Amino acid sequence: MFDLPLHPIAVHFPIALGVLLPFLGVIVLIGERKGFLGPKNWSFLVLISFIYMGSAFFAKEMGERDEDIAEKVVSERVLHEHEEAGEKVPPFAAVTFLFFLGSAFIKKKQNTLKVVTIALSIGGLFPLFHAGHT
């Protein structure tokens, strides 16, 4: 069992969290504006974005580790294209985390920063989907 590649398993965490993050952001922001959620609920999104970032870096590392196994069944060109696309996800996840963190603590124009953060997390879907598609 331990000789199986871990990348296909590990990659599901950043995909799921990266897709959920913008939706959760919109829900929390609307909840804050309607008054049934407090500003501390944004901390939950900071935690989710941190896990997203960590799992994206972990999935990338597992992909590099499993490269030799994958080369036995996937062409080098296809694998290289997937690798190039996948390398964009962890830095994007890190920037997303920093924006969620900053928007939790920076009080000046906080609502605007939260909207920008949600937009950034929506933009992060593109490299995530591109990597998955390749």
Side-chain angles (χ1 to χ4, degrees):
M1 166 149 168
F2 291 103
D3 59 338
L4 292 175
L6 291 177
H7 177 73
I9 297 167
V11 77
H12 287 87
F13 291 102
I15 291 170
L17 295 174
V19 169
L20 283 174
L21 206 49
F23 295 107
L24 293 173
V26 168
I27 290 168
V28 170
L29 187 62
I30 290 171
E32 286 179 356
R33 288 187 176 179
K34 297 285 185 184
F36 62 87
L37 291 177
K40 291 187 179 184
N41 288 286
W42 196 261
S43 300
F44 172 70
L45 298 176
V46 174
L47 175 64
I48 296 298
S49 66
F50 178 76
I51 296 169
Y52 169 45
M53 176 186 67
S55 65
F57 278 102
F58 180 74
K60 179 183 174 287
E61 289 301 314
M62 291 300 97
E64 290 175 1
R65 191 197 81 164
D66 295 341
E67 188 173 2
D68 293 337
I69 297 169
E71 284 177 343
K72 294 176 185 175
V73 293
V74 179
S75 77
E76 188 175 328
R77 182 190 61 79
V78 171
L79 196 59
H80 180 72
E81 185 180 345
H82 176 67
E83 182 180 6
E84 290 294 314
E87 286 177 348
K88 293 178 177 89
V89 174
F92 213 104
V95 169
T96 301
F97 164 67
L98 291 174
F99 267 77
F100 271 101
L101 182 65
S103 62
F105 292 104
I106 297 172
K107 300 299 179 198
K108 190 174 183 180
K109 298 196 180 211
Q110 190 174 43
N111 281 336
T112 302
L113 186 54
K114 287 180 178 182
V115 170
V116 168
T117 301
I118 292 168
L120 177 70
S121 68
I122 291 168
L125 295 174
F126 293 101
L128 194 64
F129 289 162
H130 180 65
H133 180 70
T134 59

